[in-house]
PDB file of all heavy atoms in Angstrom:
ATOM      1  N   ILE J  51      98.372  97.054 107.156  1.00  0.00           N
ATOM      2  CA  ILE J  51      98.416  96.369 105.729  1.00  0.00           C
ATOM      3  C   ILE J  51      98.597  97.346 104.610  1.00  0.00           C
ATOM      4  O   ILE J  51      97.833  98.377 104.674  1.00  0.00           O
ATOM      5  CB  ILE J  51      97.189  95.529 105.486  1.00  0.00           C
ATOM      6  CG1 ILE J  51      97.101  94.362 106.461  1.00  0.00           C
ATOM      7  CG2 ILE J  51      97.232  94.895 104.105  1.00  0.00           C
ATOM      8  CD1 ILE J  51      95.844  93.489 106.419  1.00  0.00           C
ATOM      9  N   SER J  52      99.701  97.223 103.777  1.00  0.00           N
ATOM     10  CA  SER J  52      99.751  98.044 102.670  1.00  0.00           C
ATOM     11  C   SER J  52      98.868  97.447 101.549  1.00  0.00           C
ATOM     12  O   SER J  52      99.016  96.159 101.306  1.00  0.00           O
ATOM     13  CB  SER J  52     101.239  98.074 102.233  1.00  0.00           C
ATOM     14  OG  SER J  52     102.111  98.938 103.102  1.00  0.00           O
ATOM     15  N   ASP J  53      98.137  98.205 100.856  1.00  0.00           N
ATOM     16  CA  ASP J  53      97.113  97.708 100.005  1.00  0.00           C
ATOM     17  C   ASP J  53      97.781  96.837  98.798  1.00  0.00           C
ATOM     18  O   ASP J  53      98.771  97.244  98.118  1.00  0.00           O
ATOM     19  CB  ASP J  53      96.529  98.876  99.287  1.00  0.00           C
ATOM     20  CG  ASP J  53      95.360  98.483  98.354  1.00  0.00           C
ATOM     21  OD1 ASP J  53      94.509  97.726  98.662  1.00  0.00           O
ATOM     22  OD2 ASP J  53      95.310  99.062  97.232  1.00  0.00           O
ATOM     23  N   ALA J  54      97.471  95.535  98.613  1.00  0.00           N
ATOM     24  CA  ALA J  54      98.161  94.702  97.809  1.00  0.00           C
ATOM     25  C   ALA J  54      98.040  95.177  96.235  1.00  0.00           C
ATOM     26  O   ALA J  54      99.120  95.180  95.593  1.00  0.00           O
ATOM     27  CB  ALA J  54      97.493  93.243  97.814  1.00  0.00           C
ATOM     28  N   PRO J  55      96.896  95.657  95.696  1.00  0.00           N
ATOM     29  CA  PRO J  55      96.986  96.220  94.332  1.00  0.00           C
ATOM     30  C   PRO J  55      98.031  97.204  94.119  1.00  0.00           C
ATOM     31  O   PRO J  55      98.536  97.391  93.180  1.00  0.00           O
ATOM     32  CB  PRO J  55      95.565  96.572  94.184  1.00  0.00           C
ATOM     33  CG  PRO J  55      94.790  95.711  95.186  1.00  0.00           C
ATOM     34  CD  PRO J  55      95.569  95.485  96.266  1.00  0.00           C
ATOM     35  N   HIS J  56      98.115  98.092  95.270  1.00  0.00           N
ATOM     36  CA  HIS J  56      98.913  99.227  95.161  1.00  0.00           C
ATOM     37  C   HIS J  56     100.525  98.710  95.070  1.00  0.00           C
ATOM     38  O   HIS J  56     101.303  99.284  94.387  1.00  0.00           O
ATOM     39  CB  HIS J  56      98.864 100.255  96.275  1.00  0.00           C
ATOM     40  CG  HIS J  56      99.452 101.477  96.234  1.00  0.00           C
ATOM     41  ND1 HIS J  56      99.200 102.581  95.479  1.00  0.00           N
ATOM     42  CD2 HIS J  56     100.709 101.815  96.740  1.00  0.00           C
ATOM     43  CE1 HIS J  56     100.037 103.493  95.674  1.00  0.00           C
ATOM     44  NE2 HIS J  56     101.029 103.150  96.388  1.00  0.00           N
ATOM     45  N   LEU J  57     100.711  97.747  95.954  1.00  0.00           N
ATOM     46  CA  LEU J  57     102.010  97.125  95.977  1.00  0.00           C
ATOM     47  C   LEU J  57     102.357  96.468  94.583  1.00  0.00           C
ATOM     48  O   LEU J  57     103.553  96.630  94.098  1.00  0.00           O
ATOM     49  CB  LEU J  57     102.086  96.030  97.031  1.00  0.00           C
ATOM     50  CG  LEU J  57     102.280  96.530  98.442  1.00  0.00           C
ATOM     51  CD1 LEU J  57     102.206  95.290  99.352  1.00  0.00           C
ATOM     52  CD2 LEU J  57     103.547  97.256  98.677  1.00  0.00           C
ATOM     53  N   VAL J  58     101.533  95.872  93.827  1.00  0.00           N
ATOM     54  CA  VAL J  58     101.799  95.368  92.609  1.00  0.00           C
ATOM     55  C   VAL J  58     102.150  96.366  91.674  1.00  0.00           C
ATOM     56  O   VAL J  58     102.983  96.316  90.875  1.00  0.00           O
ATOM     57  CB  VAL J  58     100.550  94.501  92.153  1.00  0.00           C
ATOM     58  CG1 VAL J  58     100.621  94.074  90.711  1.00  0.00           C
ATOM     59  CG2 VAL J  58     100.215  93.305  93.011  1.00  0.00           C
ATOM     60  N   LYS J  59     101.480  97.512  91.663  1.00  0.00           N
ATOM     61  CA  LYS J  59     101.777  98.670  90.759  1.00  0.00           C
ATOM     62  C   LYS J  59     103.079  99.257  91.157  1.00  0.00           C
ATOM     63  O   LYS J  59     103.880  99.360  90.083  1.00  0.00           O
ATOM     64  CB  LYS J  59     100.710  99.750  90.880  1.00  0.00           C
ATOM     65  CG  LYS J  59      99.335  99.419  90.327  1.00  0.00           C
ATOM     66  CD  LYS J  59      98.434 100.757  90.355  1.00  0.00           C
ATOM     67  CE  LYS J  59      98.208 101.170  91.722  1.00  0.00           C
ATOM     68  NZ  LYS J  59      97.122 102.399  91.849  1.00  0.00           N
ATOM     69  N   THR J  60     103.479  99.275  92.323  1.00  0.00           N
ATOM     70  CA  THR J  60     104.791  99.901  92.632  1.00  0.00           C
ATOM     71  C   THR J  60     105.879  98.852  92.322  1.00  0.00           C
ATOM     72  O   THR J  60     106.969  99.325  91.855  1.00  0.00           O
ATOM     73  CB  THR J  60     104.822 100.315  94.110  1.00  0.00           C
ATOM     74  OG1 THR J  60     104.620  99.125  94.994  1.00  0.00           O
ATOM     75  CG2 THR J  60     103.857 101.365  94.422  1.00  0.00           C
ATOM     76  N   VAL J  61     105.619  97.652  92.414  1.00  0.00           N
ATOM     77  CA  VAL J  61     106.677  96.719  91.980  1.00  0.00           C
ATOM     78  C   VAL J  61     106.904  96.601  90.502  1.00  0.00           C
ATOM     79  O   VAL J  61     108.028  96.731  89.951  1.00  0.00           O
ATOM     80  CB  VAL J  61     106.266  95.239  92.363  1.00  0.00           C
ATOM     81  CG1 VAL J  61     107.176  94.276  91.781  1.00  0.00           C
ATOM     82  CG2 VAL J  61     106.324  95.032  94.044  1.00  0.00           C
ATOM     83  N   ARG J  62     105.781  96.838  89.803  1.00  0.00           N
ATOM     84  CA  ARG J  62     105.834  96.871  88.287  1.00  0.00           C
ATOM     85  C   ARG J  62     106.587  98.238  87.913  1.00  0.00           C
ATOM     86  O   ARG J  62     107.392  98.217  86.920  1.00  0.00           O
ATOM     87  CB  ARG J  62     104.362  97.021  87.721  1.00  0.00           C
ATOM     88  CG  ARG J  62     104.299  96.886  86.210  1.00  0.00           C
ATOM     89  CD  ARG J  62     104.495  98.211  85.625  1.00  0.00           C
ATOM     90  NE  ARG J  62     103.732  99.288  86.207  1.00  0.00           N
ATOM     91  CZ  ARG J  62     102.408  99.544  86.024  1.00  0.00           C
ATOM     92  NH1 ARG J  62     101.746  98.950  85.101  1.00  0.00           N
ATOM     93  NH2 ARG J  62     101.835 100.594  86.697  1.00  0.00           N
ATOM     94  N   ASN J  63     106.265  99.190  88.670  1.00  0.00           N
ATOM     95  CA  ASN J  63     106.993 100.523  88.433  1.00  0.00           C
ATOM     96  C   ASN J  63     108.496 100.466  88.605  1.00  0.00           C
ATOM     97  O   ASN J  63     109.312 101.095  87.881  1.00  0.00           O
ATOM     98  CB  ASN J  63     106.416 101.674  89.283  1.00  0.00           C
ATOM     99  CG  ASN J  63     104.949 101.926  88.890  1.00  0.00           C
ATOM    100  OD1 ASN J  63     104.442 101.626  87.752  1.00  0.00           O
ATOM    101  ND2 ASN J  63     104.265 102.664  89.755  1.00  0.00           N
ATOM    102  N   ASN J  64     108.934  99.687  89.655  1.00  0.00           N
ATOM    103  CA  ASN J  64     110.353  99.535  89.961  1.00  0.00           C
ATOM    104  C   ASN J  64     110.936  98.695  88.692  1.00  0.00           C
ATOM    105  O   ASN J  64     111.992  99.103  88.333  1.00  0.00           O
ATOM    106  CB  ASN J  64     110.609  98.656  91.232  1.00  0.00           C
ATOM    107  CG  ASN J  64     110.640  99.421  92.507  1.00  0.00           C
ATOM    108  OD1 ASN J  64     111.564  99.549  93.071  1.00  0.00           O
ATOM    109  ND2 ASN J  64     109.365  99.995  92.772  1.00  0.00           N
ATOM    110  N   LEU J  65     110.189  97.646  88.273  1.00  0.00           N
ATOM    111  CA  LEU J  65     110.626  96.865  87.148  1.00  0.00           C
ATOM    112  C   LEU J  65     110.698  97.690  85.886  1.00  0.00           C
ATOM    113  O   LEU J  65     111.745  97.403  85.051  1.00  0.00           O
ATOM    114  CB  LEU J  65     109.895  95.716  86.930  1.00  0.00           C
ATOM    115  CG  LEU J  65     110.168  94.599  85.832  1.00  0.00           C
ATOM    116  CD1 LEU J  65     111.657  94.207  86.075  1.00  0.00           C
ATOM    117  CD2 LEU J  65     109.148  93.427  85.912  1.00  0.00           C
TER     118      LEU J  65
END
Side-chain angles (χ1 to χ4, degrees):
I51 298 177
S52 291
D53 185 48
H56 189 80
L57 284 173
V58 169
K59 288 189 295 185
T60 57
V61 169
R62 188 278 317 276
N63 295 344
N64 275 250
L65 183 55

